[in-house]
Amino acid sequence: MDRTGHTTLAEWTAEDDAAFAAAVQEFGEQQALGYIGTVPDGPGKATHIRQLPRDADMVILRRPIAGG
Amino acid sequence: MATSQALPELAAVPWRKPTDARWLRRWGRIWHAWTLLYTVPFIAAAGGMVWLDPIAAPVALAALAHAWIIPELYAFRGASVVRPTTRGAAPGEPVAQGLLGDLLGHDERELQRETGLALERASLGVWLVGEGGALLVMPGGRRVHCFCVGVTDPELPPSDRVAHLLLALREDEEGFATVANHAFAGAPWRVRRRLPRPMRPALDAARRAAE
Protein backbone atom coordinates (compact mmCIF):
# COMPACT_ATOMS: atom_id res chain seq x y z
CA MET A 1 0.00 0.00 0.00
CA ASP A 2 1.48 3.31 -1.04
CA ARG A 3 0.62 6.86 -2.08
CA THR A 4 -1.22 5.68 -5.21
CA GLY A 5 -3.60 3.54 -3.13
CA HIS A 6 -1.77 0.34 -3.77
CA THR A 7 0.69 -1.10 -6.28
CA THR A 8 1.19 -4.74 -7.25
CA LEU A 9 4.91 -5.40 -6.77
CA ALA A 10 5.15 -9.07 -7.68
CA GLU A 11 3.02 -12.05 -8.62
CA TRP A 12 4.04 -15.68 -8.30
CA THR A 13 2.75 -19.21 -8.06
CA ALA A 14 4.03 -22.01 -5.87
CA GLU A 15 5.28 -23.84 -8.97
CA ASP A 16 7.08 -20.92 -10.62
CA ASP A 17 10.52 -20.71 -8.98
CA ALA A 18 11.75 -17.78 -11.06
CA ALA A 19 8.69 -15.66 -10.28
CA PHE A 20 8.91 -16.55 -6.61
CA ALA A 21 12.62 -15.66 -6.51
CA ALA A 22 11.85 -12.29 -8.06
CA ALA A 23 9.07 -11.78 -5.52
CA VAL A 24 11.41 -12.67 -2.65
CA GLN A 25 13.91 -10.11 -3.88
CA GLU A 26 11.21 -7.44 -4.18
CA PHE A 27 9.93 -8.33 -0.70
CA GLY A 28 13.43 -7.93 0.74
CA GLU A 29 13.88 -4.56 -0.95
CA GLN A 30 10.57 -3.30 0.41
CA GLN A 31 11.49 -4.50 3.91
CA ALA A 32 14.74 -2.53 3.60
CA LEU A 33 12.61 0.54 2.84
CA GLY A 34 10.71 -0.01 6.08
CA TYR A 35 7.63 -1.84 4.86
CA ILE A 36 6.21 -4.65 6.99
CA GLY A 37 4.87 -7.86 5.44
CA THR A 38 1.36 -8.92 6.43
CA VAL A 39 -0.78 -11.83 5.32
CA PRO A 40 -4.56 -11.32 5.79
CA ASP A 41 -5.91 -14.51 7.36
CA GLY A 42 -9.63 -13.98 6.92
CA PRO A 43 -12.01 -11.86 9.02
CA GLY A 44 -10.25 -10.07 11.86
CA LYS A 45 -6.93 -11.86 11.52
CA ALA A 46 -3.60 -11.02 9.96
CA THR A 47 -0.09 -12.37 10.42
CA HIS A 48 3.15 -10.46 10.40
CA ILE A 49 5.70 -12.22 8.20
CA ARG A 50 9.45 -11.75 7.92
CA GLN A 51 9.94 -14.07 4.92
CA LEU A 52 7.77 -14.31 1.85
CA PRO A 53 5.54 -17.40 2.05
CA ARG A 54 5.42 -19.33 -1.20
CA ASP A 55 1.82 -20.49 -0.64
CA ALA A 56 0.19 -17.20 0.44
CA ASP A 57 -2.71 -15.92 -1.65
CA MET A 58 -1.77 -12.31 -0.95
CA VAL A 59 0.91 -10.47 1.00
CA ILE A 60 0.34 -6.82 1.85
CA LEU A 61 3.21 -4.51 2.62
CA ARG A 62 2.22 -1.87 5.12
CA ARG A 63 3.97 1.09 6.67
CA PRO A 64 4.88 1.03 10.39
CA ILE A 65 2.46 2.65 12.82
CA ALA A 66 3.33 4.95 15.70
CA GLY A 67 1.54 6.72 18.52
CA GLY A 68 0.49 10.20 17.44
CA MET B 1 7.08 -19.07 6.76
CA ALA B 2 8.79 -16.96 9.43
CA THR B 3 6.02 -15.24 11.35
CA SER B 4 5.78 -13.20 14.49
CA GLN B 5 2.82 -12.75 16.84
CA ALA B 6 4.09 -9.47 18.28
CA LEU B 7 3.79 -6.21 16.39
CA PRO B 8 7.28 -5.17 15.19
CA GLU B 9 6.56 -1.54 16.13
CA LEU B 10 6.65 -2.57 19.82
CA ALA B 11 10.45 -2.39 19.55
CA ALA B 12 10.08 1.41 19.42
CA VAL B 13 8.32 1.56 22.81
CA PRO B 14 10.13 -1.02 25.00
CA TRP B 15 9.34 0.86 28.22
CA ARG B 16 5.55 0.55 27.87
CA LYS B 17 3.60 -2.09 29.73
CA PRO B 18 1.28 -4.16 27.51
CA THR B 19 -2.10 -2.52 27.09
CA ASP B 20 -4.27 -5.50 27.97
CA ALA B 21 -7.80 -5.77 29.37
CA ARG B 22 -6.58 -5.31 32.94
CA TRP B 23 -4.62 -2.16 32.00
CA LEU B 24 -7.67 -0.75 30.23
CA ARG B 25 -9.96 -1.43 33.19
CA ARG B 26 -7.49 0.24 35.56
CA TRP B 27 -7.07 3.29 33.32
CA GLY B 28 -10.83 3.51 32.88
CA ARG B 29 -11.23 3.72 36.66
CA ILE B 30 -8.40 6.26 36.97
CA TRP B 31 -9.99 8.48 34.31
CA HIS B 32 -13.35 8.17 36.07
CA ALA B 33 -11.84 9.18 39.42
CA TRP B 34 -9.90 12.01 37.77
CA THR B 35 -13.10 13.36 36.19
CA LEU B 36 -14.82 13.41 39.58
CA LEU B 37 -11.75 15.05 41.13
CA TYR B 38 -11.82 18.04 38.80
CA THR B 39 -15.59 18.52 38.66
CA VAL B 40 -16.95 17.82 42.15
CA PRO B 41 -14.86 20.54 43.90
CA PHE B 42 -16.10 23.19 41.43
CA ILE B 43 -19.72 22.11 41.93
CA ALA B 44 -19.29 22.02 45.72
CA ALA B 45 -17.64 25.43 45.68
CA ALA B 46 -20.46 26.86 43.56
CA GLY B 47 -23.10 25.47 45.93
CA GLY B 48 -21.18 26.63 48.99
CA MET B 49 -20.78 30.16 47.70
CA VAL B 50 -24.48 30.57 46.94
CA TRP B 51 -25.37 29.03 50.31
CA LEU B 52 -23.05 31.43 52.16
CA ASP B 53 -24.05 34.52 50.23
CA PRO B 54 -26.39 34.57 47.20
CA ILE B 55 -24.59 37.65 45.95
CA ALA B 56 -21.73 35.30 45.02
CA ALA B 57 -23.96 33.69 42.38
CA PRO B 58 -21.92 35.05 39.41
CA VAL B 59 -18.73 33.52 40.84
CA ALA B 60 -20.64 30.29 41.49
CA LEU B 61 -21.72 30.28 37.86
CA ALA B 62 -18.08 30.65 36.80
CA ALA B 63 -17.19 27.67 39.00
CA LEU B 64 -19.99 25.62 37.41
CA ALA B 65 -18.74 26.64 33.99
CA HIS B 66 -15.32 25.25 34.93
CA ALA B 67 -16.96 22.00 36.06
CA TRP B 68 -18.59 21.73 32.63
CA ILE B 69 -15.81 23.02 30.37
CA ILE B 70 -12.88 20.96 31.69
CA PRO B 71 -14.53 17.53 31.11
CA GLU B 72 -15.72 18.77 27.72
CA LEU B 73 -12.15 19.67 26.76
CA TYR B 74 -10.93 16.22 27.74
CA ALA B 75 -13.71 14.56 25.75
CA PHE B 76 -12.92 16.82 22.80
CA ARG B 77 -9.31 15.67 22.99
CA GLY B 78 -10.49 12.06 22.97
CA ALA B 79 -12.85 12.50 20.01
CA SER B 80 -10.19 14.40 18.07
CA VAL B 81 -8.10 11.25 17.56
CA VAL B 82 -10.46 10.10 14.81
CA ARG B 83 -11.11 13.47 13.18
CA PRO B 84 -10.12 13.38 9.50
CA THR B 85 -6.61 14.75 9.00
CA THR B 86 -6.63 14.86 5.21
CA ARG B 87 -8.18 17.86 3.48
CA GLY B 88 -9.45 17.64 -0.07
CA ALA B 89 -9.37 14.64 -2.37
CA ALA B 90 -6.21 12.52 -2.15
CA PRO B 91 -5.01 11.22 -5.56
CA GLY B 92 -4.94 7.52 -4.64
CA GLU B 93 -8.08 7.52 -2.53
CA PRO B 94 -10.42 5.59 -4.91
CA VAL B 95 -7.87 2.78 -5.26
CA ALA B 96 -7.16 2.75 -1.52
CA GLN B 97 -10.89 2.67 -0.77
CA GLY B 98 -11.18 -0.47 -2.90
CA LEU B 99 -8.43 -2.28 -1.01
CA LEU B 100 -9.82 -1.24 2.36
CA GLY B 101 -13.25 -2.46 1.23
CA ASP B 102 -11.74 -5.86 0.48
CA LEU B 103 -10.49 -6.08 4.07
CA LEU B 104 -13.92 -5.35 5.55
CA GLY B 105 -17.19 -7.26 5.69
CA HIS B 106 -20.28 -5.87 3.91
CA ASP B 107 -21.78 -4.00 6.88
CA GLU B 108 -18.41 -2.68 8.05
CA ARG B 109 -17.61 -1.50 4.51
CA GLU B 110 -20.88 0.46 4.28
CA LEU B 111 -20.31 1.97 7.73
CA GLN B 112 -16.75 2.98 6.82
CA ARG B 113 -17.88 4.67 3.62
CA GLU B 114 -20.56 6.61 5.48
CA THR B 115 -18.56 7.56 8.57
CA GLY B 116 -14.86 7.17 7.71
CA LEU B 117 -14.42 4.71 10.59
CA ALA B 118 -13.79 0.98 10.23
CA LEU B 119 -15.52 -1.17 12.84
CA GLU B 120 -13.52 -4.16 14.03
CA ARG B 121 -14.65 -6.69 16.65
CA ALA B 122 -11.70 -7.96 18.66
CA SER B 123 -10.95 -9.51 22.03
CA LEU B 124 -10.50 -6.24 24.00
CA GLY B 125 -13.75 -4.80 22.66
CA VAL B 126 -15.05 -3.16 19.50
CA TRP B 127 -12.65 -0.85 17.68
CA LEU B 128 -13.39 2.06 15.40
CA VAL B 129 -10.33 2.76 13.31
CA GLY B 130 -9.90 6.16 11.67
CA GLU B 131 -7.06 7.57 9.64
CA GLY B 132 -5.24 9.07 12.63
CA GLY B 133 -6.51 7.17 15.64
CA ALA B 134 -8.87 4.60 17.04
CA LEU B 135 -11.67 4.31 19.59
CA LEU B 136 -12.12 1.16 21.64
CA VAL B 137 -15.59 0.52 23.05
CA MET B 138 -15.22 -1.85 25.96
CA PRO B 139 -17.46 -4.91 26.38
CA GLY B 140 -20.82 -3.70 27.71
CA GLY B 141 -20.57 -0.45 25.77
CA ARG B 142 -20.27 1.79 28.82
CA ARG B 143 -16.73 3.06 28.38
CA VAL B 144 -14.65 4.12 25.41
CA HIS B 145 -10.89 4.49 25.22
CA CYS B 146 -9.41 6.87 22.67
CA PHE B 147 -6.01 6.16 21.11
CA CYS B 148 -3.91 8.44 18.97
CA VAL B 149 -2.07 6.31 16.42
CA GLY B 150 -1.15 6.73 12.79
CA VAL B 151 0.97 5.64 9.89
CA THR B 152 4.39 7.21 9.54
CA ASP B 153 3.98 8.17 5.85
CA PRO B 154 2.13 11.52 5.73
CA GLU B 155 1.23 11.29 2.03
CA LEU B 156 -0.87 8.12 2.09
CA PRO B 157 -4.53 8.39 1.03
CA PRO B 158 -6.99 8.35 3.99
CA SER B 159 -8.36 4.86 3.31
CA ASP B 160 -4.83 3.51 3.06
CA ARG B 161 -4.08 4.93 6.51
CA VAL B 162 -7.13 3.12 7.89
CA ALA B 163 -6.10 -0.12 6.13
CA HIS B 164 -2.54 0.03 7.54
CA LEU B 165 -3.90 0.53 11.06
CA LEU B 166 -6.50 -2.19 10.60
CA LEU B 167 -3.87 -4.72 9.52
CA ALA B 168 -1.64 -3.82 12.47
CA LEU B 169 -4.62 -4.21 14.81
CA ARG B 170 -5.41 -7.61 13.33
CA GLU B 171 -1.80 -8.74 13.68
CA ASP B 172 -1.54 -7.97 17.39
CA GLU B 173 -4.38 -6.18 19.19
CA GLU B 174 -2.57 -5.62 22.50
CA GLY B 175 0.55 -4.55 20.62
CA PHE B 176 -1.52 -2.07 18.62
CA ALA B 177 -2.99 -0.57 21.80
CA THR B 178 0.45 -0.47 23.40
CA VAL B 179 2.07 1.37 20.50
CA ALA B 180 -0.82 3.87 20.36
CA ASN B 181 -0.90 6.84 22.71
CA HIS B 182 -3.82 6.71 25.11
CA ALA B 183 -5.65 10.04 24.94
CA PHE B 184 -8.87 9.66 26.91
CA ALA B 185 -11.26 7.24 28.58
CA GLY B 186 -14.85 7.98 29.50
CA ALA B 187 -18.49 7.41 28.78
CA PRO B 188 -19.35 7.00 25.08
CA TRP B 189 -21.92 9.82 25.21
CA ARG B 190 -19.15 12.24 26.19
CA VAL B 191 -17.09 11.30 23.15
CA ARG B 192 -20.10 11.08 20.84
CA ARG B 193 -21.16 14.70 21.30
CA ARG B 194 -17.64 15.87 20.39
CA LEU B 195 -17.38 13.68 17.29
CA PRO B 196 -18.11 15.18 13.86
CA ARG B 197 -21.79 14.48 13.17
CA PRO B 198 -21.20 12.04 10.24
CA MET B 199 -19.05 9.84 12.49
CA ARG B 200 -21.58 9.42 15.29
CA PRO B 201 -23.44 6.46 13.73
CA ALA B 202 -20.17 4.51 13.85
CA LEU B 203 -19.92 4.96 17.62
CA ASP B 204 -23.58 3.98 17.97
CA ALA B 205 -22.91 0.81 15.96
CA ALA B 206 -19.82 0.00 18.02
CA ARG B 207 -21.80 0.39 21.25
CA ARG B 208 -24.48 -1.96 19.97
CA ALA B 209 -21.82 -4.45 18.93
CA ALA B 210 -20.17 -4.24 22.35
CA GLU B 211 -23.35 -4.77 24.38
Side-chain angles (χ1 to χ4, degrees):
Chain A
M1 294 183 286
D2 56 22
R3 293 165 195 184
T4 66
H6 71 84
T7 302
T8 302
L9 294 168
E11 290 181 286
W12 71 95
T13 61
E15 297 79 28
D16 189 343
D17 290 339
F20 182 66
V24 167
Q25 186 178 344
E26 185 68 45
F27 184 74
E29 288 172 6
Q30 294 300 317
Q31 280 183 311
L33 292 173
Y35 280 89
I36 295 168
T38 304
V39 176
D41 290 333
K45 296 283 177 196
T47 304
H48 165 225
I49 54 161
R50 285 168 290 164
Q51 291 174 359
L52 193 69
R54 188 181 275 264
D55 57 350
D57 289 333
M58 179 168 65
V59 174
I60 297 176
L61 291 158
R62 66 170 180 84
R63 299 296 292 173
I65 65 165
Chain B
M1 78 182 147
T3 63
S4 173
Q5 294 297 317
L7 208 65
E9 291 92 331
L10 283 170
V13 287
W15 62 88
R16 288 193 180 168
K17 289 184 177 175
T19 302
D20 54 14
R22 190 176 166 195
W23 188 97
L24 289 165
R25 279 196 300 273
R26 194 174 78 243
W27 270 95
R29 284 195 290 268
I30 289 171
W31 270 92
H32 187 67
W34 181 239
T35 305
L36 291 174
L37 209 65
Y38 60 65
T39 50
V40 170
F42 281 116
I43 295 168
M49 279 188 279
V50 173
W51 180 68
L52 286 171
D53 191 345
I55 205 165
V59 185
L61 278 176
L64 286 175
H66 274 84
W68 180 76
I69 289 169
I70 295 172
E72 283 290 303
L73 287 174
Y74 276 111
F76 179 80
R77 177 184 165 203
S80 294
V81 302
V82 290
R83 282 176 191 279
T85 54
T86 313
R87 293 176 191 276
E93 178 59 14
V95 180
Q97 179 67 232
L99 181 69
L100 176 59
D102 288 344
L103 296 174
L104 298 170
H106 177 75
D107 293 344
E108 289 78 9
R109 187 183 311 134
E110 288 302 311
L111 187 70
Q112 194 277 328
R113 285 185 180 156
E114 288 168 14
T115 66
L117 299 174
L119 187 147
E120 179 77 5
R121 291 169 181 83
S123 59
L124 293 175
V126 179
W127 291 86
L128 289 171
V129 181
E131 57 182 280
L135 308 179
L136 171 63
V137 181
M138 298 296 285
R142 296 181 64 184
R143 183 169 286 149
V144 60
H145 290 268
C146 305
F147 293 93
C148 197
V149 60
V151 183
T152 52
D153 187 341
E155 295 185 28
L156 287 172
S159 293
D160 237 7
R161 298 171 167 281
V162 176
H164 284 259
L165 293 176
L166 195 63
L167 285 168
L169 171 62
R170 288 176 176 181
E171 283 176 40
D172 176 9
E173 184 185 14
E174 285 187 11
F176 177 86
T178 305
V179 169
N181 290 338
H182 191 271
F184 174 77
W189 64 265
R190 292 179 61 197
V191 175
R192 188 183 186 280
R193 56 191 284 170
R194 308 311 312 181
L195 278 176
R197 199 172 291 274
M199 287 184 163
R200 293 177 188 173
L203 186 54
D204 296 338
R207 285 191 71 185
R208 283 194 299 274
E211 283 173 354

